[in-house]
Amino acid sequence: MKRDETTYTTATSAALAGLAVQCVLCLGTGAVGAWTESPAIIAATWHIAGGIPIWIILAIIYQQHRLERTEALAAEKLATQDAASAALFGDVSDELQLIRSRLDRLYNLGLPIVSFTIAIYLIAAGVGMLYRAATLADDPVALALSPDCNPVGLMFATAGIAFVAFIAARWVSGYTRIREWQLLRGGASYLMSTFVIAILLLAGAATVAIVEETFFFRLLARLVPALMILVGSEILLTALLAAYRPKRPGEIPRPAFDSRVLGLLTAPESLGQVVGELINYQFGVEVSTSWFYQMLGRAMTPLTIFGGLVLLALSTLVIVGPEEQGVIMRFG
């Protein structure tokens, strides 16, 4: 791809769109947490808020790249003109050097500072909410849901949050196939962590709606802060290792908040390649290139969705025995 201002304008727009989605998800999850009074959903809100600085720094970096490309093209154009026009080249060159120095500071200082800040934030918030859950261990109602909460409505709310987070993460990860847009991978991986937590909340809401048991939500009150601590610890460890890693000229750095573990979810084809290579090694033949393996790989996503829909449909059926009585309920 040609590196011009249009390239980085597109990346800036993608980063701003990711910021908008992250803010909407944070506000939506916060509203659901206020409605349900669930420590697990409140913890999820704090986790989602940690992704906002990521999109801000990415938007700033790509905006500076756009300005740098605009000034560089103007400088090249003036340099090819006559001597009268070349008098303006000095001012343009100074502005270009200033923008490039800002970019260097953003890469060398901005990305590490944001990474360390997010890591400390996630670890501190996770530890604080784990401590709060421990203090409420004797009160199972406080760790579950508000009595006024409708579990079916909560299922739809958490499913909507999970759907938006997954679609946005996969959409942004599609940009990262272009070398100049690979920094967006950090935002996509954090959106994927939002999807994972939302799926856990959806499972908890389904458990309450189907079997009327809040045990899973009491477990999530501890599990979500623990996941925050794990993600923060990975970011902190990666940031410490990156601080001593030698930089190669022209290399696009991979920020510490770009989770290597969550990256397998944003780009599942990489996980499929690992599994395919493992199967080839075990069988000694190119199983991953066979027509059956490729057909199964294409059908995996629709089969998974179909299986989930079947399980959801089966959960709506109840068998009433000959000596039992059934009660038809609507909206709880």
Side-chain angles (χ1 to χ4, degrees):
M1 172 177 284
K2 183 180 179 181
R3 296 176 65 250
D4 55 13
E5 65 271 19
T6 304
T7 301
Y8 296 109
T9 299
T10 303
T12 304
S13 300
L16 292 175
L19 175 61
V21 170
Q22 196 80 40
C23 291
V24 169
L25 290 175
C26 184
L27 293 175
T29 308
V32 175
W35 168 46
T36 60
E37 300 178 1
S38 168
I41 300 179
I42 294 174
T45 304
W46 284 95
H47 173 80
I48 296 173
I52 294 177
I54 294 177
W55 294 109
I56 292 176
I57 189 65
L58 292 180
I60 293 174
I61 287 177
Y62 280 120
Q63 175 66 9
Q64 289 298 312
H65 269 297
R66 187 189 68 81
L67 294 176
E68 186 272 339
R69 284 292 85 200
T70 301
E71 293 294 333
L73 291 175
E76 293 174 2
K77 185 176 180 179
L78 285 174
T80 59
Q81 293 179 356
D82 54 16
S85 300
L88 299 174
F89 178 73
D91 295 336
V92 176
S93 180
D94 293 340
E95 182 68 21
L96 181 60
Q97 292 299 325
L98 179 61
I99 294 175
R100 286 176 175 172
S101 65
R102 289 175 187 164
L103 269 175
D104 290 338
R105 287 195 297 269
L106 286 172
Y107 278 114
N108 297 329
L109 295 177
L111 289 178
I113 289 174
V114 170
S115 298
F116 278 111
T117 301
I118 294 173
I120 295 172
Y121 164 81
L122 290 175
I123 294 174
V127 170
M129 281 178 284
L130 270 182
Y131 176 77
R132 182 174 181 273
T135 59
L136 297 175
D138 297 331
D139 188 0
V141 177
L143 288 178
L145 298 172
S146 170
D148 300 330
C149 175
N150 183 352
V152 177
L154 180 58
M155 284 181 58
F156 280 103
T158 52
I161 294 171
F163 177 78
V164 173
F166 180 79
I167 293 299
R170 293 295 299 160
W171 173 67
V172 174
S173 66
Y175 281 84
T176 60
R177 292 182 174 89
I178 305 299
R179 182 177 182 273
E180 286 76 14
W181 296 340
Q182 287 182 356
L183 281 177
L184 294 171
R185 186 170 47 198
S189 65
Y190 203 93
L191 275 175
M192 190 56 69
S193 71
T194 302
F195 164 74
V196 171
I197 291 179
I199 284 294
L200 293 175
L201 296 177
L202 174 60
T207 303
V208 177
I210 297 172
V211 300
E212 299 181 356
E213 176 57 56
T214 61
F215 168 76
F216 194 57
F217 255 104
R218 297 197 298 272
L219 177 63
L220 288 177
R222 301 176 177 86
L223 181 58
V224 174
L227 290 176
M228 294 174 63
I229 295 174
L230 287 177
V231 174
S233 300
E234 182 197 0
I235 295 174
L236 182 61
L237 178 61
T238 306
L240 292 174
L241 294 177
Y244 297 97
R245 177 179 175 274
K247 308 297 189 299
R248 291 180 294 182
E251 178 187 16
I252 297 179
R254 185 170 184 177
F257 54 74
D258 182 2
S259 173
R260 278 62 175 169
V261 176
L262 294 170
L264 294 176
L265 299 177
T266 55
E269 59 272 9
S270 59
L271 181 60
Q273 291 174 359
V274 172
V275 174
E277 292 175 358
L278 179 61
I279 293 175
N280 293 338
Y281 175 78
Q282 291 296 330
F283 287 93
V285 294
E286 293 292 329
V287 177
S288 60
T289 59
S290 64
W291 67 270
F292 178 76
Y293 185 90
Q294 294 178 358
M295 181 188 67
L296 185 62
R298 289 192 298 267
M300 185 61 66
T301 299
L303 285 176
T304 302
I305 296 175
F306 178 74
L309 292 176
V310 170
L311 291 176
L312 181 61
L314 289 175
S315 67
T316 64
L317 301 177
V318 177
I319 298 176
V320 181
E323 298 180 356
E324 298 177 341
Q325 290 183 344
V327 179
I328 299 177
M329 304 179 65
R330 292 181 176 87
F331 302 106

